[in-house]
Amino acid sequence: MQNSDAMALSAALLAAAGGLTQRIHEGVVARGFEGLRPAHGFAFARLAPDGATVTDLAAHLGMTKQAASQLVDELVRKGYVERRPHPADARARLVVLTESGWACTRAAEEAAAEAVRAWVDVLGEGEVRALCDRLLRVAPNGPVRPVW
């Protein structure tokens, strides 16, 4: 693959990811969840289904522990997460989604489905499934996080 082809592919993937992130965020806002940023959604993805420590969340998001702690503080104030005692480590706190956090996560899933349906309209279902399969071969385990 030529360098220019690699750059074109890189640009297309980044544009698709950025557009998808924006459409999901807009869908979440349209469903009544205000005061959130796309970065919050990336945190929710790590917190579902079993929660995480601030340290785990920081590693997942590629940020400092202090920044992750501030993000969690903000989400606690907004009612989307809560801190609980960690079941296996008395020194740690587990950050988990509240019912509002779960509702927001479901709204994001609905918005993601709508966004992908738009891709199906352009490419067809078979092509979108093939795209998914190929991308999972290249990037099977994430992490799914924003580019800071």
Side-chain angles (χ1 to χ4, degrees):
M1 179 174 268
Q2 298 286 333
N3 286 352
S4 60
D5 294 333
M7 283 303 296
L9 174 60
S10 298
L13 284 170
L14 290 169
L20 184 59
T21 300
Q22 186 61 35
R23 294 219 30 210
I24 292 169
H25 177 69
E26 289 168 356
V28 166
V29 171
R31 287 166 173 81
F33 296 92
E34 306 235 351
L36 294 172
R37 302 184 315 268
H40 295 131
F42 290 103
F44 285 14
R46 175 60 185 91
L47 296 175
D50 299 321
T53 65
V54 169
T55 301
D56 293 336
L57 188 60
H60 174 79
L61 294 174
M63 60 175 37
T64 66
K65 185 178 170 187
Q66 292 79 12
S69 184
Q70 290 175 352
L71 183 82
V72 169
D73 289 344
E74 180 182 1
L75 291 172
V76 167
R77 282 191 306 276
K78 292 175 187 272
Y80 291 109
V81 303
E82 64 185 15
R83 290 181 173 94
R84 294 184 182 164
H86 195 289
D89 184 349
R91 298 168 297 155
R93 304 281 288 165
L94 194 63
V95 181
V96 298
L97 296 173
T98 63
E99 185 50 44
S100 293
W102 282 110
C104 185
T105 299
R106 289 188 295 274
E109 289 173 357
E110 292 169 4
E114 287 176 3
V116 170
R117 275 194 293 277
W119 293 2
V120 170
D121 292 344
V122 173
L123 300 174
E125 190 164 340
E127 288 292 323
V128 171
R129 287 187 189 283
L131 175 62
C132 180
D133 291 342
R134 288 176 178 89
L135 289 173
L136 287 171
R137 286 179 21 210
V138 174
N141 297 316
V144 178
R145 65 179 172 206
V147 179
W148 301 104

